[in-house]
């Protein structure tokens, strides 16, 4: 199955470079591009991509606002692609907010080409791009320094079983499914089942939002 992608960046050369790289892959098809968030909404509505590569800082409408609109849960029947934020270290604040809004992760714009290709495939498959340690540090930092206004997230965790709570904690600490399975002496498929139940019970889109909630609820303390 071909992964449909649109590229959103205000620099034409960046869009062209990413498009050339991704179109060279047999399983990826770049179906459109946009120079700002407003154009991204229009192109997404017209092309129905699986993945949107979204720059953070752009004119007219930035990537954060565009991601919020694309992932808004209150639009019945709307097409909701996976959103992968493209960023540099100086806009980490925006990336964290995008993860809270439902983006599936982020990628540094100067990452190696192979990382971009792999990121598109990972996000298209429904996984969150949270493997790099820098992502875990980013989320932990903002959970510590910029706590969100919330209605006691610990109450949301009360619906989890002890095992599910344990799995959520390990997800937030950055462990892969394989690593969680090894630590808890479980089959990897069992871990996947637990994760599916966690996301369903907590009404979370994916692993990224699970990590954010784990930090914000106090289940995991930054710096531990």
């Amino acid at each position: 199955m071909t992964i449909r992608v649109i590229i959103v960046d205000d620099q034409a050369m960046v869009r062209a470079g990413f498009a050339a790289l991704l179109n060279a892959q047999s399983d990826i098809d770049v179906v459109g591009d946009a120079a700002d968030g407003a154009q991204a909404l229009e192109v997404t509505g017209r092309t129905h991509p699986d993945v949107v590569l979204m720059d953070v800082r752009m004119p007219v409408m930035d990537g954060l606002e565009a991601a919020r609109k694309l992932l808004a849960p209150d639009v019945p029947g709307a097409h909701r692609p996976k959103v992968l934020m493209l960023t540099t270290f100086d806009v980490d604040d925006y990336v964290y907010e995008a993860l809270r809004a439902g983006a599936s992760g982020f990628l540094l714009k100067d990452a190696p080409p192979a990382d971009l290709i792999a990121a598109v495939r990972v996000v298209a498959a429904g996984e969150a791009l949270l493997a790099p340690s820098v992502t875990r540090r980013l989320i932990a930092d903002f959970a510590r320094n910029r706590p969100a206004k919330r209605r006691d997230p610990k109450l949301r965790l009360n619906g989890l079983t002890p095992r599910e709570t344990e799995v959520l904690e390990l997800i937030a600490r950055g462990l892969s499914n394989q690593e969680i399975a090894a630590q808890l002496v479980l089959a990897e498929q069992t871990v996947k089942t637990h994760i599916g139940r966690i996301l369903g019970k907590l009404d979370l889109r994916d692993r990224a939002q699970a990590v954010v909630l784990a930090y914000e609820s106090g289940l995991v303390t930054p710096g531990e």
Side-chain angles (χ1 to χ4, degrees):
M1 179 177 172
T2 302
I3 303 168
R4 296 168 59 83
V5 177
I6 69 169
I7 301 167
V8 186
D9 193 290
D10 59 339
Q11 298 182 47
M13 289 184 65
V14 171
R15 298 197 305 273
F18 283 0
L21 176 65
L22 294 175
N23 276 327
Q25 311 307 309
S26 62
D27 59 337
I28 300 175
D29 184 17
V30 177
V31 296
D33 62 57
D36 58 62
Q39 288 184 16
L41 299 181
E42 187 275 325
V43 174
T44 297
R46 177 163 44 83
T47 62
H48 290 184
D50 301 302
V51 177
V52 176
L53 293 178
M54 182 82 75
D55 189 21
V56 173
R57 286 185 173 174
M58 294 179 291
V60 184
M61 180 188 295
D62 65 23
L64 176 57
E65 182 62 22
R68 283 176 175 153
K69 290 182 180 296
L70 284 176
L71 301 171
D74 56 349
V75 182
H79 174 70
R80 294 191 187 90
K82 306 293 185 182
V83 176
L84 178 61
M85 305 302 295
L86 300 170
T87 187
T88 53
F89 280 115
D90 64 335
V91 288
D92 284 348
D93 195 358
Y94 292 94
V95 175
Y96 175 75
E97 292 300 325
L99 289 174
R100 293 187 64 233
S104 294
F106 82 97
L107 186 71
L108 297 177
K109 293 178 75 173
D110 60 356
D115 286 3
L116 173 64
I117 296 166
V120 168
R121 290 171 176 153
V122 166
V123 169
E127 295 291 330
L129 195 67
L130 289 171
S133 59
V134 64
T135 308
R136 300 195 293 272
R137 291 200 303 272
L138 179 152
I139 295 174
D141 180 58
F142 279 93
R144 179 177 63 246
N145 297 324
R146 298 170 183 261
K149 296 179 181 178
R150 57 191 185 270
R151 297 187 303 275
D152 193 4
K154 283 188 177 180
L155 295 177
R156 293 181 64 185
L157 302 185
N158 286 344
L160 300 182
T161 66
R163 177 63 86 188
E164 288 165 352
T165 302
E166 197 172 15
V167 170
L168 175 58
E169 179 180 349
L170 295 177
I171 290 172
R173 295 190 187 283
L175 274 67
S176 67
N177 288 358
Q178 186 176 17
E179 291 168 336
I180 293 172
Q183 181 156 330
L184 299 181
V185 194
L186 297 172
E188 191 169 346
Q189 184 57 49
T190 302
V191 173
K192 291 180 181 179
T193 299
H194 283 311
I195 293 173
R197 288 173 179 165
I198 290 167
L199 298 182
K201 287 182 177 181
L202 300 180
D203 192 26
L204 300 173
R205 180 184 176 92
D206 56 26
R207 211 178 180 102
Q209 288 194 322
V211 172
V212 171
L213 178 63
Y215 276 109
E216 292 187 336
S217 68
L219 178 64
V220 176
T221 302
E224 285 185 343

